[in-house]
Amino acid sequence: MIDHKLAEDLKKRAKEGDTAVLRSAELKSLFDQLKTLPADERGAFGQAVNKLRTELTELLNQAKDEAEELAPIDITAPLDINTPRPELLPSEQGSQHPLMAELATILDIFYRMGFTAVESREIDDDYHMFGSLNFPEDHPARDDYDTFMTTQTDVHGKPFIAPAHTSIMQNRVMKAGKAGLEAGQAIAAVIPGRVFRNEDLDARHEHTFYQLEGVYVDKGIHAGNLIATLKTFLQEYYGKELDVKTQPFYFPFTEPSFELTVSCPFCDKKGCHICSRTGWIELLGCGMIHPNVLKEAGIDPNEYTGFAWGMGIDRLVMMKYGIEDVRHFESGRLDFLRQFS
Ligand code: DAH
């Protein structure tokens, strides 16, 4: 007769839905055993083995039906309706992406400094990408923002644009804040967003990355406010005293424009692989909002002044943790991501 324990083990596997049981070495060994038996025992044993195989097939079908009952797939259902019940999920849970976790920290610092957050967008038009930011038509400065465009055009006959910077939101934020500004409430907004560039990829360049734009407008605002705001933020984020320097730069939407350089928070100016052994890092672009940009948003530049900046969030986070390659963020590499979970 068939070994009782062996038969029970096989049935248990079938009940659990293990389809490999029909091809298992154990089942095959029973058929092999059949051939070795004396002729008068073969009939009964053969029947028993066939019966067992039928039972296993039925148990497998039952297990399949039960699994489908647990997780019926409705392809028309929205969102996570089709998500299997937790007992069918692997036990390891996911975690927040490090960039999003750091963004929460960054925004929290700016909230405490009186800024509100406005989300950027991932598809836009020529006016917000260039026109509203004082880029004349066909101006070579547009070449610095080489990004992706649709072949389909908008009502002005221009392509839609995957934004190359979060500055696309400046005009919108200032228009929205104008009434408040005139009632005595400064415009103070930070704008996180995903941006795109047609880049050759390397350890420092990605086609997709994140920026945080800042816009501040009120009466009597000057470059000293800009530098103090950014220095305060950076010291809070890195949790230490830092030195900052400004260098003159050119952006069409600010005048004057600066590049802000910060002492390396990783090595405190000693020189390391993060700061290319110089002790300093060119971190972000900033400046006093150009009068034409204020005017375009309906704000009188004779009465109000403001500052703006745009910083790469990936860069900021790389400097905090000594991450050597920006491509890790979008790579989906679990060994990288798990270090932050
Ligand atoms: N949009 C610029 C870039 O991506 C960064 C920038 C510079 C933003 C100066 C600003 C600014 O708001 O004032 O290169």
Side-chain angles (χ1 to χ4, degrees), residues 145 164-165 167 170 197 211 213-214 251 253-254 285-287 308-310:
Y145 300 87
H165 57 179
S167 305
Q170 283 199 15
R197 302 256 170 119
Q211 282 190 336
E213 190 84 5
F251 298 105
F253 35 94
T254 38
C286 56
W309 76 85

Side-chain angles (χ1 to χ4, degrees), residues 90-144:
S91 62
E92 206 171 329
Q93 301 292 314
S95 61
Q96 202 174 26
H97 191 280
L99 284 178
M100 293 302 107
E102 290 302 311
L103 178 59
T105 307
I106 292 167
L107 291 182
D108 185 60
I109 297 171
F110 280 111
Y111 292 148
R112 284 188 272 128
M113 290 170 74
F115 287 78
T116 52
V118 179
E119 248 185 309
S120 187
R121 45 194 293 159
E122 298 184 4
I123 191 85
D124 212 346
D125 55 23
D126 189 85
Y127 174 72
H128 290 95
M129 180 64 214
F130 295 118
S132 69
L133 290 166
N134 196 39
F135 286 82
E137 284 284 342
D138 300 324
H139 194 278
R142 291 183 176 223
D143 295 347
D144 293 338

Side-chain angles (χ1 to χ4, degrees), residues 177-251:
K178 179 179 143 75
L181 186 64
E182 284 162 3
Q185 171 90 46
I187 296 172
V190 282
I191 309 151
R194 183 144 65 151
V195 296
F196 309 90
R197 302 256 170 119
N198 181 17
E199 293 277 12
D200 287 334
L201 307 189
D202 62 29
R204 284 163 175 258
H205 298 93
E206 251 292 12
H207 52 70
T208 302
F209 57 102
Y210 290 81
Q211 282 190 336
L212 186 88
E213 190 84 5
V215 176
Y216 195 99
V217 184
D218 202 355
K219 287 187 175 159
I221 298 303
H222 52 79
N225 301 126
L226 161 65
I227 294 162
T229 301
L230 289 173
K231 186 173 178 190
T232 304
F233 162 73
L234 291 169
Q235 295 191 149
E236 190 69 18
Y237 181 63
Y238 290 110
K240 56 167 68 165
E241 296 268 312
L242 295 169
D243 288 329
V244 296
K245 296 195 279 198
T246 53
Q247 283 153 197
F249 208 77
Y250 169 74
F251 298 105

